Amino acid sequence: MSLRSLWNTFRVASVSITVTFVVIGLGLLIASLAERETLAQPAPRVDALAESTDPCVKCHRRESPGIVAQYGTSDMAASGVGCMDCHGVPADYPEAIVHEGATMLSSPTPARCGACHETQVAQFNASRHSLPAYVAYAGAQDLSPSHLALYEAVEEGTFAPSQARNQLYALEGAAITQFACATCHNVGLPRADGSVGRCQNCHLRHTFSLEQARKPETCNACHIGPDHPQWEIYQESPHGISYLTGGHTWNWEADPGTLTTADIPAATCATCHISGFGASESTHDVGDRLAWYLFAPLSTRRPGWETNLAQMQGVCIACHNRTFIDTFYSAADAATEAVNDWVAESDAIVAPLQEVGLLTDEPFDQPIDFAYFELWHHWGRTAKFGVWMQGPDYVQWHGAYEILSDLADLREMAADLHGDQAR
Ligand code: HEC
Ligand code: HEC
Ligand code: HEC
Ligand code: HEC
Ligand code: HEC
Ligand code: HEC
Ligand code: HEC
Ligand code: HEC
């Protein structure tokens, strides 16, 4: 074989190898695009009520077509759950109305859901989303005896270290607070039939979609703003960035209890706090995985915190290794203590003023009341949440820096007040 024909054979061989690789490569690309396609475009939803002869459905398809269209494509409608399963009640039921010959509730309560979802309702009742959320603004004085018993049975529920916000609630008045405190905290509203809460705060009616409940936007209805900026923090965390840039390809409708990293490759609020994931089972008790009372001025450990911590880490372990998790937790514990020290310092500045009567008895009437409150309620909490949920800007510029600035203000205001007294 001449050198030239050897070269030609080599060329033919290398071209065909290249062609083979290109073909395999294209094949893989097409396959992966097709897979993305199936993930990005879930099967079109079927209207399970299309042929329904139920009078509620027939008339409401005319009167309020949106409700019937939304409910028709839900998994519950597909399973044969009908309008009356939630709305229908006996005539003597609390708040029952008569409507088109039926007795029913305009606003079905968790007692109705509980007929089929006993576990979720029991877990929800045992959480701070339940009565503790309501008591946080309205107080416990008007609860019925059975609601009071339910409230007192919530293990982490009666912990209430600061009454400052209740003073704001009274100060602002109902005209304002029905659109403020109540809108968020009524997630734990006591209901006339003895049940508690508004499941529809997270499960928007009438789709009751898992995708909607699992997405972090659902939580941002309430977990937002200077005193609990979990939504803002999440958006700047690596988990949030993964969600915001790739979430449209995730498998949001996986059956409860079957979620893996193949469905959800980075954590969302629900993954860490609610969903069954990794080694942890799903729970509607959002306190089940928390070790600290972070919302408190001075954070302390929760009852049973070691078990809770193991539940949370059982989620992390699906995506991170043990050393990574342990290193993160020790550093975050230390940061929590550091914020505690700053808040204790603010207490040490203000306590002597209270002792010698330099602060009025009225809440929120002196500039120092606001600085003292914001130091822990806004900046202290924000710094801690930023640490635990990976939001560096919130730890720093909306957290630690603001605390230092408020401490300087507090010292000066305190000195002025002492000075005025000396004069
Ligand atoms: C013949 C038509 C018709 C039928 C049958 C009917 N509805 Fe209605 N429904 C209406 C209309 C119209 C309204 C709005 C009434 C209004 O705004 O005052 C309404 C209102 C409601 C409301 C809101 C009530 C409130 O107080 O806000 C609910 C819940 C409801 N319907 C559920 C049902 C259920 C469940 C059934 C089956 C038992 C049913 N409807 C049967 C026409 C109908
Ligand atoms: C899984 C439980 C459930 C089922 C099933 C259900 N609803 Fe509802 N419905 C609710 C809840 C919860 C509300 C919210 C009330 C509130 O926010 O106070 C509601 C509210 C309503 C309202 C009044 C509020 C509005 O937006 O006008 C109407 C009307 C209504 N439902 C009609 C229907 C009809 C018709 C069906 C059957 C096609 C149906 N519902 C099936 C739970 C259900
Ligand atoms: C009569 C029984 C019944 C009642 C009442 C009922 N549900 Fe359901 N629900 C079901 C069944 C059955 C499924 C399972 C559907 C499936 O797995 O495909 C379900 C599934 C769900 C899901 C998961 C949806 C999904 O895509 O898998 C949510 C969320 C839900 N229900 C919320 C509620 C809420 C909130 C209420 C009360 C307002 C309620 N349900 C009342 C029977 C009921
Ligand atoms: C935007 C929704 C929203 C509004 C408005 C709101 N809160 Fe809250 N509140 C929350 C959330 C979310 C938490 C939980 C923070 C955490 O655990 O990190 C909370 C925590 C609290 C707590 C601490 C927990 C406890 O039970 O001791 C109190 C007290 C409280 N809020 C009272 C009020 C009062 C009073 C108002 C009105 C003056 C109000 N809130 C307005 C959402 C809200
Ligand atoms: C704080 C938001 C929130 C509230 C309030 C809430 N849920 Fe859920 N719920 C979720 C999330 C998130 C999921 C999806 C869990 C997962 O990924 O498996 C879910 C899932 C469910 C499911 C599907 C089965 C399961 O356990 O995953 C049912 C049924 C359900 N919820 C019922 C209820 C009922 C009934 C209430 C009221 C007592 C309620 N939920 C209140 C967030 C909430
Ligand atoms: C309608 C408003 C609302 C929505 C929506 C909501 N929350 Fe909450 N959440 C609250 C309030 C109010 C509290 C504080 C209750 C208290 O401590 O008094 C709270 C507290 C919490 C806590 C702390 C519980 C504890 O034991 O201290 C966690 C964790 C939490 N929510 C997670 C979530 C997640 C995850 C979602 C979305 C799937 C969500 N929440 C949706 C209002 C809401
Ligand atoms: C990567 C997991 C992860 C994600 C994602 C996440 N959290 Fe958290 N969250 C945590 C951890 C860890 C803590 C602190 C746990 C402890 O106390 O031991 C925490 C604390 C909280 C608290 C404070 C409770 C208290 O004691 O005051 C609330 C409220 C909360 N998260 C809500 C949310 C919401 C809402 C989102 C989404 C916007 C979210 N979280 C996203 C892991 C997560
Ligand atoms: C479903 C997968 C998943 C779960 C569950 C999960 N993470 Fe992550 N986490 C990720 C991904 C993806 C990244 C981004 C990795 C990178 O930066 O390359 C990340 C990054 C992080 C980082 C790095 C932050 C930074 O600024 O570099 C920390 C810290 C972290 N996670 C803590 C946790 C903790 C604590 C938990 C449990 C409470 C948890 N994660 C649960 C997927 C997950």
Side-chain angles (χ1 to χ4, degrees), residues 113 117 120-121 124 129 199 202-203 213-214 256 259 270 274-275 284:
C113 318
H117 302 301
Q120 287 81 4
V121 172
F124 174 85
H129 271 157
C199 310
C202 288
H203 296 294
R214 281 172 175 159
L259 279 176
I274 297 174
S275 302
H284 273 65

Side-chain angles (χ1 to χ4, degrees), residues 236 382-383 386 391-404:
E236 78 151 340
T382 293
D393 195 50
Y394 290 87
V395 181
Q396 175 52 43
W397 302 114
H398 303 290
Y401 177 82
E402 296 281 8
I403 295 176
L404 295 180

Side-chain angles (χ1 to χ4, degrees), residues 219 223 230-231 234 239 267-269 272-273 289-295 302 312 329 385 388-390:
C219 320
H223 290 273
Q230 284 99 5
W231 165 244
Y234 180 68
H239 304 124
T268 64
C269 321
C272 288
H273 292 288
R289 299 175 185 170
L290 302 177
W292 289 98
Y293 285 120
L294 292 181
F295 61 78
R302 294 179 180 238
M312 181 66 87
Y329 260 74
F385 297 150
W388 283 102
M389 285 170 274
Q390 295 84 41

Side-chain angles (χ1 to χ4, degrees), residues 82-91 93 96 102-105 108 112:
C83 312
M84 287 298 272
D85 284 317
C86 287
H87 285 278
V89 286
Y93 202 83
T103 51
M104 48 166 251
L105 295 177
R112 307 298 305 145

Side-chain angles (χ1 to χ4, degrees), residues 40-123:
Q41 290 175 358
R45 289 193 158 263
V46 180
D47 182 359
L49 301 177
E51 308 296 326
S52 173
T53 53
D54 182 336
C56 319
V57 172
K58 279 173 71 184
C59 187
H60 274 275
R61 196 182 287 288
R62 228 177 25 246
E63 295 294 337
S64 53
I67 290 178
V68 176
Q70 285 156 7
Y71 190 64
T73 53
S74 74
D75 285 355
M76 270 195 277
S79 308
V81 179
C83 312
M84 287 298 272
D85 284 317
C86 287
H87 285 278
V89 286
D92 58 356
Y93 202 83
E95 297 187 337
I97 58 164
V98 181
H99 174 61
E100 299 293 332
T103 51
M104 48 166 251
L105 295 177
S106 338
S107 180
T109 65
R112 307 298 305 145
C113 318
C116 304
H117 302 301
E118 201 184 340
T119 311
Q120 287 81 4
V121 172
Q123 291 169 340

